[in-house]
Amino acid sequence: MMRTLEETLVQYAACHRDRRNIATHFLGIPLAVFSIVLALALVDFPAGGVTVTLAAIASVGASAYYVKLDPAFGAFIATALFLMCALASEVVARAPAPATLAGAVALFAAGWALQAWGHRLEGFTPAFRVDAAQRLAGPLFLCAQVFFFLGAKPELHRRIVQQAGPTVARRGGANMTGAR
């Protein structure tokens, strides 16, 4: 069963209330997502007279998921994924496959290391350790944060803060158990 937008964001936000942790995610999540797009761009095949990459297929599938949750958020994320696919195709066209794959692995490790550091600062277990489906919520959470910062979707923002708690400058670097 697919969670609603609000349920997804509340569950993710509950583990991301420290601004330092959120800041690490603003770099870490795009790095990790791009690394996956880059690795998938290495695999292509002909389809009806054009060449299609696994990156394009995965991006279309992810975009459909995000659009179903929220059309505006989905369009924003789809645009980001399209740009990542375009950049990945340029890298694949210019770099040897082993170097591209090594770069993707390095970017993935860097992205996850940044997020782990953020959770260490906050002292809270990453959301995906509680629920593996939360791996898809990271890009959605970042998108929501941008919208909220710009004043869009204030009612959704209010409900998330009401349920997950306010964002604070420093949560405390507690014990990483996930207990509040």
Side-chain angles (χ1 to χ4, degrees):
M1 184 172 92
M2 191 164 136
R3 287 191 180 98
T4 67
L5 173 69
E6 186 172 326
E7 291 167 339
T8 301
L9 288 173
V10 166
Q11 184 176 359
Y12 197 87
C15 299
H16 301 86
R17 304 319 299 151
D18 183 307
R19 285 189 189 112
R20 301 167 302 166
N21 187 16
I22 293 169
T24 64
H25 283 57
F26 263 93
L27 185 55
I29 289 172
L31 283 175
V33 171
F34 179 67
S35 72
I36 293 167
V37 169
L38 183 58
L40 293 177
L42 287 166
V43 181
D44 64 13
F45 51 91
V50 297
T51 301
V52 178
T53 67
L54 283 182
I57 293 168
S59 293
V60 168
S63 295
Y65 166 75
Y66 293 123
V67 165
K68 184 171 177 151
L69 281 174
D70 184 272
F73 289 168
F76 185 89
I77 295 170
T79 300
L81 287 170
F82 172 79
L83 293 171
M84 287 183 183
C85 283
L87 178 58
S89 74
E90 290 299 317
V91 172
V92 168
R94 289 170 172 66
T100 300
L101 189 56
V105 169
L107 289 172
F108 188 82
W112 280 97
L114 276 168
Q115 293 175 72
W117 179 49
H119 281 286
R120 184 128 180 100
L121 290 172
E122 183 165 5
F124 219 74
T125 302
F128 75 85
R129 288 183 136 174
V130 177
D131 179 1
Q134 288 292 294
R135 288 185 178 111
L136 290 174
L140 186 63
F141 177 76
L142 292 186
C143 178
Q145 293 300 302
V146 169
F147 273 61
F148 299 158
F149 178 78
L150 296 174
K153 299 190 178 274
E155 183 57 29
L156 176 62
H157 186 214
R158 184 192 64 73
R159 290 192 314 266
I160 290 168
V161 170
Q162 182 179 7
Q163 295 174 66
T167 302
V168 295
R170 185 176 297 259
R171 188 140 133 172
N175 59 14
M176 297 287 287
T177 63
R180 284 190 154 187

